Amino acid sequence: LDEAMRPHGLRFDHNLHALRIVDHFEVRYLRFRGLNLTLGVREGIVKHSRDYSPAGHPELGEFFLDRRPPLEAQLIDLADEIAYLTADLDDGMEAGILTLDAIRANVTLFERFYEPLQAEFPEALSKLKFNEAVKRMLNALVSDLIHETGLRVRSKGIASLEDIRNYPERICGFSAPVEELRTEAKRFLYRHLYLGDDLRQAHAEAATVIRDLFEYWVEDPARLPPGYGAQAAEEGAARVVADYLAGMTDSYILQLHAELLGAAKHGLAQ
């Protein structure tokens, strides 16, 4: 979506789109748009996973761009990381893309828990031992994050939100040894799952589906469902089409691509 929007002088950003959802799309009140969320929640949506420069995003001036996000926002990003790291190992195994031997050989944190389970339960199903090792891996990451963040808060004398905001860097994080293990696991997933040959074709087909539908509707906004046409006239077709696409599930976008353009790719459709 970001690539498709660039020729129109626009960009697509996950965090800013999420803010747009809660501030603009949702309509629950008579006098204004949005969900009426607190500044702290909205700031967390914007800044939890990355920092934005005041010069590059003047429209975000209310979110203290020159200061650190609240502790809750910082924790959300790392909790997200833990969830993805462990769930994607499981998903990769279920899909047959990752193998147990490869994970054991390349993800030290996983092997640290799998090896004792293998020794204690040699006859147990590998899947059960895998599940238990992933659970223990998740628990180790969570426990380290809690302990290390508390240690940093106490050692730096941080006692208030203002202290968090004014600290020169984000205070939440893993200890150095666990961060090294997390990075190793992430590198493994990028090399063998996210950017691996098994998914390369699927990524290309997904990009084609998004690009085809984006161009189809931008070319003629009247093709959009009722209600979107008025938005396109007010906000521009590219932005509204991107909003529409960003809200679709995988199955729905494939269905629309097949129905409207008759070009669904068999591999992606499956």
Side-chain angles (χ1 to χ4, degrees):
L1 274 177
D2 186 55
E3 290 177 2
M5 293 175 74
R6 290 187 188 193
H8 300 272
L10 300 170
R11 301 294 301 271
F12 184 85
D13 179 283
H14 170 73
N15 294 353
L16 303 188
H17 179 72
L19 180 68
R20 186 169 163 79
I21 289 174
V22 300
D23 278 358
H24 182 74
F25 293 165
E26 294 290 341
V27 181
R28 305 288 179 88
Y29 301 93
L30 288 171
R31 293 181 174 84
F32 54 85
R33 301 183 70 92
L35 295 179
N36 197 31
L37 300 178
T38 65
L39 176 61
V41 171
R42 294 168 63 243
E43 182 187 3
I45 290 172
V46 172
K47 294 165 61 179
H48 70 279
S49 62
R50 58 163 293 191
D51 297 320
Y52 295 86
S53 70
H57 292 274
E59 77 280 8
L60 301 177
E62 66 178 304
F63 297 116
F64 313 104
L65 297 188
D66 58 341
R67 303 164 79 188
R68 307 292 78 71
L71 200 63
E72 294 90 342
Q74 297 183 36
L75 284 168
I76 287 169
D77 184 41
L78 295 172
D80 228 14
E81 174 68 12
I82 293 171
Y84 277 114
L85 197 64
T86 51
D88 290 346
L89 285 174
D90 190 21
D91 290 344
M93 278 281 290
E94 287 292 327
I97 298 173
L98 302 179
T99 67
L100 178 59
D101 287 344
I103 295 173
R104 292 189 65 184
N106 293 279
V107 183
T108 303
L109 186 58
F110 174 86
E111 177 63 6
R112 180 175 294 176
F113 297 110
Y114 190 90
E115 193 279 330
L117 291 168
Q118 174 67 16
E120 186 177 358
F121 305 101
E123 304 303 321
L125 292 174
S126 294
K127 178 58 178 174
L128 293 179
K129 289 179 283 192
F130 172 84
N131 290 343
E132 182 64 26
V134 168
K135 291 175 187 176
R136 295 187 183 189
M137 179 178 171
L138 186 152
N139 187 61
L141 289 165
V142 170
S143 298
D144 183 82
L145 176 60
I146 293 170
H147 179 267
E148 178 65 18
T149 299
L151 188 65
R152 293 180 186 182
V153 166
R154 291 188 296 273
S155 66
K156 305 299 181 183
I158 292 174
S160 68
L161 173 59
E162 284 304 300
D163 291 340
I164 294 287
R165 288 198 185 284
N166 293 327
Y167 198 71
E169 59 192 28
R170 295 190 178 212
I171 200 71
C172 292
F174 301 102
S175 65
V178 171
E179 173 60 21
E180 186 175 337
L181 293 171
R182 183 204 66 80
T183 301
E184 177 194 56
K186 196 72 170 181
R187 279 198 303 262
F188 171 79
L189 285 170
Y190 266 100
R191 187 166 60 250
H192 295 282
L193 183 63
Y194 306 144
L195 303 179
D197 292 336
D198 294 275
L199 294 182
R200 197 179 305 277
Q201 181 63 24
H203 287 315
E205 291 174 344
T208 296
V209 167
I210 291 172
R211 184 171 56 252
D212 287 351
L213 287 172
F214 181 86
E215 293 173 355
Y216 174 78
W217 282 311
V218 168
E219 181 181 282
D220 184 2
R223 295 167 174 165
L224 287 164
Y228 283 92
Q231 291 182 44
E234 179 182 338
E235 302 180 44
R239 176 60 68 189
V240 172
V241 170
D243 289 342
Y244 185 39
L245 286 167
M248 294 182 184
T249 62
D250 292 353
S251 58
Y252 185 60
I253 197 171
L254 290 171
Q255 175 188 330
L256 281 180
H257 191 259
E259 290 177 356
L260 298 176
L261 301 172
K265 306 296 184 179
H266 73 277
L268 190 61
Q270 291 174 352

